Amino acid sequence: MKARKYRDTFAPALLTAMVAAAPGQSQSAPPLSAIDWLSDSITVPDAAPPDTPAPQASSTPQTITVAPLDAPVPDRAGLISARALGLDPALWGNSAAFDLARLISNMPDTEPPALSRFLRNLLVTQFDPPVDALQDDSLYLARIDKLLDLGHLDDARALIAAAGAPEPRRFRRQFDIALLTGTETESCKVIEETPDISPTFPARIFCLARNGEWEVAALTLGTAEALDILSLEEDQLLLHFLDPDLFEGEALPPVPLKPSPLIFRLYEAVGERLSTDRLPVAFAAADLTDTVGWKARLRAAERLAAAGALSPERMMAIFGERSPAASGGIWERVRALQTVRAALQTEDAAEIAVALPPAWAAARLSGVEATLAPWLAARLANVELSGAAAHVAFEISLLAGKVDLAKRFASPRREDQFLLSVAEGNKTNVPPGD
């Protein structure tokens, strides 16, 4: 019943938005990646083999392909079943991968929390592949790219792993995830052990140095320079990376407007770590490591939680690592959330009533209320509140999807009753307050 309500409430709105996202249904160009910051780390073949038809920019497949039912198709990969989401596994019908990929790529980055959650679930769900998925994996890559665009690195990594053995275009994305999450050692090992993965010179040099093979890395850089493969900026950055003492005091090349994860890590390696505040949200994951200062970790946690890409448990763990170092700004939000967590642990209704409103105000100020609501609602289940604290608990319960809990905290006010009727799916005409 819940799955059906979930489907009936959110699926039509999101799928309609997908259709509206690409007016005109232009077929003149291939679907573009939702992201333009991928590292140029893996050499990808420029063209398909002669006996493989190229993907068609068309609403319907142009070529009939015959293959075993168990043939490896990336778009069979998924983390949850379609039935669990309340959708038909054959949702894509006769749509071509190209068209679906373009629609997903054109989806806006920001949506109301419920639609954002549903979009994430839609991207990781296991549906029947499009009819031309054997020829064209653009839908699968668009799913990965949109997850990266939204900051869901763990989901993207799991979806790549679910597709099977490493393949250049998939591994290119896996390598960037590793660079942003500090797990590049494993990915560099894959490069070393997988002949089909052909790294570009910058990625090869980075991995050689990462594995302690500095002399081989220097020889490889010399080969790249002799072949005139690298740009001047790449060459200078890699020289600083391999021998920082030799270039001490010399200026680094200018930072590109849209650095890739590999460029980001190279600047970090030479002691000039780039701020992630103005970089795509996926880069905030790089600030969650223990080597980064607490304030940067706090900002990254807020940013990822606001995007729905960080669990409330992990966010609250980061916020509870130590006492606030100052007052104002993010420190007041840290103090408010630490106070409400301590109050919830005591289960003292009076303490919770005092701590909850400022904590919720702090959550709303930083945009993390949708992520934090389920965490708070689970801890309010046995608490009796009244007045302003009860109204805050009512808002939290609604945003967490806990309708029964919301009933407990709802006031007789018309606005509360209207919102409660909407949450219940009550078709009785309850007019809004304004």
Side-chain angles (χ1 to χ4, degrees), residues 130-200:
V131 291
D132 59 345
L134 278 172
Q135 302 168 251
D136 184 0
D137 64 352
S138 58
L139 171 59
Y140 173 78
L141 293 177
R143 292 164 63 195
I144 297 294
D145 287 350
K146 181 56 72 171
L147 287 170
L148 294 178
D149 191 39
L150 298 173
H152 293 278
L153 301 189
D154 290 340
D155 289 331
R157 175 164 43 201
L159 199 58
I160 291 171
E167 177 273 341
R169 287 177 299 170
R170 299 200 295 267
F171 185 77
R172 180 187 180 196
R173 290 150 172 85
Q174 180 181 328
F175 187 63
D176 274 357
I177 294 171
L179 290 169
L180 292 174
T181 56
T183 58
E184 65 277 2
T185 299
E186 182 180 344
S187 290
C188 286
K189 186 176 180 181
V190 172
I191 287 177
E192 182 181 350
E193 296 177 350
T194 310
D196 291 341
I197 302 297
S198 179
T200 58

Side-chain angles (χ1 to χ4, degrees), residues 94-113:
N94 291 325
S95 299
F98 172 90
D99 294 327
L100 295 168
R102 178 167 39 80
L103 291 170
I104 286 176
S105 297
N106 289 339
M107 287 292 294
D109 294 342
T110 56
E111 291 283 4

Side-chain angles (χ1 to χ4, degrees), residues 50-255:
D51 58 344
T52 303
Q56 300 292 322
S58 171
S59 297
T60 57
Q62 303 298 310
T63 305
I64 298 175
T65 302
V66 179
L69 291 175
D70 60 350
V73 179
D75 261 312
R76 283 201 176 102
L79 309 182
I80 57 177
S81 71
R83 297 297 185 194
L85 198 58
L87 294 173
D88 187 342
L91 176 69
W92 303 137
N94 291 325
S95 299
F98 172 90
D99 294 327
L100 295 168
R102 178 167 39 80
L103 291 170
I104 286 176
S105 297
N106 289 339
M107 287 292 294
D109 294 342
T110 56
E111 291 283 4
L115 286 181
S116 292
R117 287 194 296 270
F118 188 80
L119 174 58
R120 174 266 169 193
N121 288 340
L122 191 72
L123 295 171
V124 301
T125 296
Q126 187 174 31
F127 294 110
D128 295 339
V131 291
D132 59 345
L134 278 172
Q135 302 168 251
D136 184 0
D137 64 352
S138 58
L139 171 59
Y140 173 78
L141 293 177
R143 292 164 63 195
I144 297 294
D145 287 350
K146 181 56 72 171
L147 287 170
L148 294 178
D149 191 39
L150 298 173
H152 293 278
L153 301 189
D154 290 340
D155 289 331
R157 175 164 43 201
L159 199 58
I160 291 171
E167 177 273 341
R169 287 177 299 170
R170 299 200 295 267
F171 185 77
R172 180 187 180 196
R173 290 150 172 85
Q174 180 181 328
F175 187 63
D176 274 357
I177 294 171
L179 290 169
L180 292 174
T181 56
T183 58
E184 65 277 2
T185 299
E186 182 180 344
S187 290
C188 286
K189 186 176 180 181
V190 172
I191 287 177
E192 182 181 350
E193 296 177 350
T194 310
D196 291 341
I197 302 297
S198 179
T200 58
F201 273 92
R204 185 184 299 277
I205 293 165
F206 175 83
C207 280
L208 286 168
R210 188 69 180 79
N211 293 334
E213 300 181 63
W214 293 93
E215 291 185 3
V216 181
L219 288 172
T220 305
L221 177 56
T223 301
E225 290 173 333
L227 297 174
D228 199 23
I229 289 174
L230 304 174
S231 68
L232 179 61
E233 291 76 17
E234 287 176 326
D235 183 46
Q236 290 299 307
L237 186 55
L238 287 167
L239 284 169
H240 279 80
F241 170 61
L242 292 178
D243 197 347
D245 293 338
L246 185 62
F247 296 93
E248 187 175 359
E250 290 192 20
L252 288 166
V255 180

